[in-house]
Amino acid sequence: INLIGAPFDEVMQTFANLDRTIIEVDLVFFRGTKEELKAACAGSNNSTPEKETITITVIQNNDSKNKITKTITAPVGANIRQTLVDEGINVYQSLTRWTNCKGKQLCGTCIVNVKEGGMNTNRKSMDEASTLRENPDTYRLSCVTFAYDDVTVETFPPIKAAQWTR
């Protein structure tokens, strides 16, 4: 199985899903940049061209009759908050639309629900997990969430009351 350049979570999920009859796995570690690794592996028949863009599907007003779905094309590794803000989509609830930290992970108010494609994002840090501890695992702070493949996010997901104590 070729996992060159795959996100850590994808590699771990692939290992977890291996057939139990597989008793030996070769791991190859490479020190260098991702581009250097891809160049070193370019002669392999198993390599597939890497995507340069991804699709971020945004669901707004999910719990109302005014539901809006928007599809955005973004570069691989795009920051969810910045991409949505650049597209004119508000990720902040209430007054935090004007009083937020502008993506510095200080306020904890740019919460989105990654409804599909959570494995295509970076892992939650301990700080992010602590901030969102009373919310579902699919909730993320958009300011520290990066997408490496297609994802679907919901803005303004219902949050627990304790979230407003920050």
Side-chain angles (χ1 to χ4, degrees), residues 22-122:
I22 297 175
I23 57 172
E24 191 173 307
V25 176
D26 289 327
L27 295 177
V28 178
F29 293 92
F30 181 85
R31 183 179 181 139
T33 66
K34 188 174 182 178
E35 289 75 26
E36 291 170 333
L37 173 61
K38 288 175 6 184
C41 297
S44 171
N45 291 335
N46 294 334
S47 64
T48 57
E50 187 171 317
K51 291 172 67 170
E52 293 183 13
T53 61
I54 59 168
T55 300
I56 300 175
T57 303
V58 185
I59 301 169
Q60 302 174 77
N61 308 319
N62 194 29
D63 292 337
S64 75
K65 60 184 174 189
N66 300 324
K67 179 179 175 179
I68 300 169
T69 302
K70 183 173 184 177
T71 303
I72 302 167
T73 300
V76 171
N79 176 270
I80 298 292
R81 178 200 167 275
Q82 192 61 55
T83 302
L84 271 56
V85 168
D86 289 349
E87 290 289 323
I89 298 171
N90 178 28
V91 296
Y92 299 100
Q93 299 188 28
S94 181
L95 294 176
T96 61
R97 183 175 189 172
W98 297 280
T99 62
N100 62 76
C101 68
K102 307 285 190 250
K104 306 290 188 260
Q105 195 185 355
L106 300 172
C107 66
T109 60
C110 60
I111 301 169
V112 295
N113 180 15
V114 181
K115 294 181 74 79
E116 294 177 17
M119 292 293 291
N120 299 330
T121 64
N122 57 308

